[in-house]
Amino acid sequence: QVQLVESGGGSVQAGDSLRLSCAASGRTFSRYTMGWFRQAPGKEREFVAAIGTSANTYYADSVKGRFTISRDNAKNTVYLQMNSLKPEDTAVYYCAARPLSLGRTTRPSNYDYWGQGTQVTVSS
């Protein structure tokens, strides 16, 4: 019932910045916890950042201080501002939504809806 459409991915050099956007359908967006995950070739999908209904945020240790997650409930959109990008940030980035905040925020299986993924490539 929820559709997520991502944009903003691309190819950049180390040290550059990108901002990913995820536009969500539905009238209950403000009630969802929203998350960003990423998956590199040959690796498991991993947690990047999440933002709750009260605008509380969570970050993976690998991106703390560099990435910022935010949301605009009026636009049904969640953002991921990525600064000081590193080659190890290269991955397909996915937007996800969980209507019920139960279980671990960092576990992909606890999210019910997913975007199509957008490629982020960081070269050195």
Side-chain angles (χ1 to χ4, degrees), residues 30-54:
S30 63
R31 303 178 187 177
Y32 296 167
T33 292
M34 302 296 298
W36 288 96
F37 294 79
R38 66 188 183 187
Q39 187 168 22
K43 296 184 178 180
E44 297 292 323
R45 188 167 300 184
E46 67 174 354
F47 170 78
V48 177
I51 184 166
T53 57
S54 298

Side-chain angles (χ1 to χ4, degrees), residues 52-102:
T53 57
S54 298
N56 47 312
T57 58
Y58 309 84
Y59 296 96
D61 288 340
S62 60
V63 305
K64 285 182 179 178
R66 299 189 298 122
F67 291 9
T68 302
I69 187 171
S70 61
R71 67 191 300 161
D72 187 337
N73 290 338
K75 297 181 179 179
N76 276 21
T77 302
V78 62
Y79 305 95
L80 184 67
Q81 178 67 45
M82 304 184 292
N83 297 328
S84 301
L85 283 163
K86 304 175 180 179
E88 50 262 45
D89 295 319
T90 296
V92 176
Y93 283 70
Y94 297 90
C95 175
R98 55 183 297 185
L100 297 175
S101 298
L102 300 175

Side-chain angles (χ1 to χ4, degrees), residues 9 12 17 23 36 65 72 80 103 119 122:
V12 299
S17 298
W36 288 96
D72 187 337
L80 184 67
Q119 178 70 48
V122 184

